[in-house]
Amino acid sequence: MSNTKMQQGDFTTLAKHYINRPAYSDLILQTLLKLVNYDATNPDFQVVEVGAGTGKLTKMLLELGLNVIAIEPNDAMREEGIKYTEAFENIIWKKGSGEVTGVEDHQADWIIMASSFHWTDPNLSLPEFSRILKANGHFTAIWNPRNLEISELHTGIEKRIYEIAPNIKRKSSGSGRNSKKWEYILPSTGHFKEVIFTETDHEELFPKERYMGAWHSVNDIPAQAGPEKWQEILKAIEDEIKDLDIIPVPYKMRAWTTRKA
């Protein structure tokens, strides 16, 4: 592995590992579709997924029959996403970001960001989302953080990480010590109103190789800790799971949905 320090927010070298990340709960997606007034008989219902990454959520949306414009700023991630969703016709991939989507005015019925809204500047992304949404359109920010509270294994792993790199600040904001008050942030610019919070528990069973592959897709820890401590952290995680063939990982999926003002 290179000794060059990873840049926070740059997922270029991590794209190939994203296939190992967890999926999203079908239950929460079905619930969100009701919240955003999805009508399966309406062929023009348009979803814009911003920060689509390698297409993990994108494929689930496509499998539900939704029309998706997938926006992803990172070329390597977007290329992986294009390959991952190549069997579908109801998908358009575009280069763009939360602040500058490149989508025309009033195109979207629903904008969704999965585990990525925390990388945007809300003062820029929220007005941009309002611009591309139709009247009464919705925006959802969803995360799937591990539910550390109910897992001794994962609580122990998290403890080891902070023992090795005590000064890191996790970037993901779905839960934990760095979580944000999205119910206040989403309406803060005046472009959105009526925030609804949705939460559900979900568990995935990871073979050891996939579990470690998911850790290799992490950006915020190596970017802050540096390559040497990151290798130490990965070794510590491997030690914690050395006697396990299958690693059960509990998630608490959380979503904040808001309507265009």
Side-chain angles (χ1 to χ4, degrees):
M1 180 176 176
S2 170
N3 287 323
T4 302
K5 187 172 182 179
M6 184 180 295
Q7 296 299 308
Q8 193 159 0
D10 183 0
F11 292 84
T12 301
T13 61
L14 308 178
K16 62 182 180 294
H17 296 296
Y18 256 65
I19 192 66
N20 297 299
R21 287 204 166 195
Y24 291 83
S25 162
D26 184 65
L27 173 62
I28 205 168
L29 288 180
Q30 295 292 346
T31 302
L32 291 173
L33 287 173
K34 294 176 182 178
L35 285 179
V36 301
N37 302 317
Y38 171 59
D39 180 358
T41 66
N42 176 13
D44 298 322
F45 189 90
Q46 181 65 61
V47 179
V48 174
E49 185 192 357
V50 180
T54 60
K56 200 77 177 185
L57 176 64
T58 319
K59 187 175 181 181
M60 296 184 72
L61 296 171
L62 294 169
E63 288 171 343
L64 290 170
L66 295 163
N67 302 308
V68 181
I69 299 174
I71 309 297
E72 172 53 45
N74 183 279
D75 294 339
M77 299 277 279
R78 192 171 61 257
E79 288 170 8
E80 292 290 328
I82 290 170
K83 288 188 289 185
Y84 190 57
T85 58
E86 63 184 357
F88 297 88
E89 296 182 355
N90 48 326
I91 174 71
I92 297 171
W93 283 88
K94 294 173 65 73
K95 184 167 186 173
S97 66
E99 294 82 1
V100 184
T101 62
V103 177
E104 295 181 4
D105 292 356
H106 315 306
Q107 293 297 303
D109 293 279
W110 184 29
I111 299 170
I112 186 167
M113 292 194 76
S115 302
S116 54
F117 183 58
H118 53 276
W119 290 108
T120 77
D121 177 351
N123 290 318
L124 299 176
S125 57
L126 291 171
E128 172 71 355
F129 295 166
S130 177
R131 179 186 68 79
I132 69 174
L133 277 170
K134 300 174 186 176
N136 296 313
H138 292 81
F139 166 56
T140 297
I142 184 172
W143 286 270
N144 60 338
R146 291 168 300 146
N147 190 357
L148 299 176
E149 296 177 1
I150 65 170
S151 172
E152 184 177 345
L153 170 64
H154 297 287
T155 300
I157 288 173
E158 198 76 0
K159 182 180 177 182
R160 288 290 293 122
I161 291 171
Y162 282 98
E163 286 173 352
I164 296 168
N167 296 320
I168 64 170
K169 293 182 178 180
R170 301 303 306 273
K171 183 65 177 176
S172 178
S173 298
S175 70
R177 65 178 71 184
N178 297 307
S179 61
K180 295 183 178 181
K181 299 291 186 181
W182 297 115
E183 63 270 29
Y184 301 122
I185 294 173
L186 291 177
S188 65
T189 63
H191 295 86
F192 290 90
K193 60 183 180 180
E194 301 170 2
V195 180
I196 298 174
F197 174 66
T198 315
E199 178 181 271
T200 189
D201 292 312
H202 176 68
E203 182 180 76
E204 282 204 37
L205 301 176
F206 284 71
K208 189 178 294 185
E209 184 178 357
R210 183 188 166 203
Y211 181 76
M212 290 308 301
W215 276 107
H216 278 281
S217 73
V218 169
N219 169 271
D220 57 346
I221 301 177
Q224 296 176 73
E228 290 184 7
K229 284 191 175 181
W230 177 231
Q231 289 305 305
E232 188 179 348
I233 288 169
L234 290 174
K235 178 62 168 60
I237 295 171
E238 289 174 347
D239 288 344
E240 291 287 336
I241 65 168
K242 65 180 184 298
D243 297 325
L244 301 174
D245 293 321
I246 298 294
I247 296 91
V249 185
Y251 292 92
K252 187 172 283 293
M253 300 202 173
R254 292 172 164 157
W256 286 259
T257 299
T258 186
R259 185 163 67 89
K260 181 176 175 175

